[in-house]
Structure formats: structure tokens, C-alpha cells
Amino acid sequence: PDGLQITSTPAASPISCMVKESVFLGDSYRLRVQHASGTQLTLKLPVAFGVMPSIGASVYVQVAPESVIPLAQ
């Protein structure tokens, strides 16, 4: 999803995940990560991101505040 970022260090409110799959797509990588709860996310990262984390590595998923849309009840 747009607005999600991967980092190797925790930030203000990180979501810790483990890399389950990494697929090179030419101009980007598709990463599948899993939270301890079992929830999985698939993210697309540009090659310019740098060195991709290896399978089994711990990473942190951050949500860009401008990408959050509050829902009314």
C-alpha cells in the first residue's frame, strides 16, 4: 500500500515485522513482511531503496502520516 515505508531501525511508532519474501521485479522489489500477529503486508520498493533486507530479517514498517485518512463513525 502507498504510504508504507520500510526501515531497519525503529522510529516513533514502528511496526516490527519479519521479511518472508523478496522478489526482484526489474525496477523495484516486492517484499512480503509478516507481523508477530500473523498479519502480512506486501510492499513495493524501488531499486533505489538500496540493499534489500534478506528473508528472515527484522524490519520496521512505518506509515506516512499524510497517508492516513481518518474514518468517521
Side-chain angles (χ1 to χ4, degrees):
D2 292 337
L4 296 182
Q5 304 166 357
I6 294 282
T7 181
S8 59
T9 56
S13 58
I15 302 167
S16 179
C17 293
M18 178 183 290
V19 177
K20 302 302 273 184
E21 179 180 56
S22 178
V23 178
F24 179 63
L25 302 173
D27 64 340
S28 61
Y29 286 87
R30 184 181 67 225
L31 281 177
R32 184 170 49 90
V33 298
Q34 183 173 333
H35 183 263
S37 68
T39 301
Q40 295 188 5
L41 296 170
T42 301
L43 303 113
K44 186 176 179 182
L45 300 175
V47 171
F49 178 80
V51 177
M52 288 295 124
S54 59
I55 294 174
S58 292
V59 295
Y60 298 93
V61 177
Q62 298 175 330
V63 180
E66 64 274 8
S67 296
V68 176
I69 301 171
L71 301 175
Q73 292 187 7

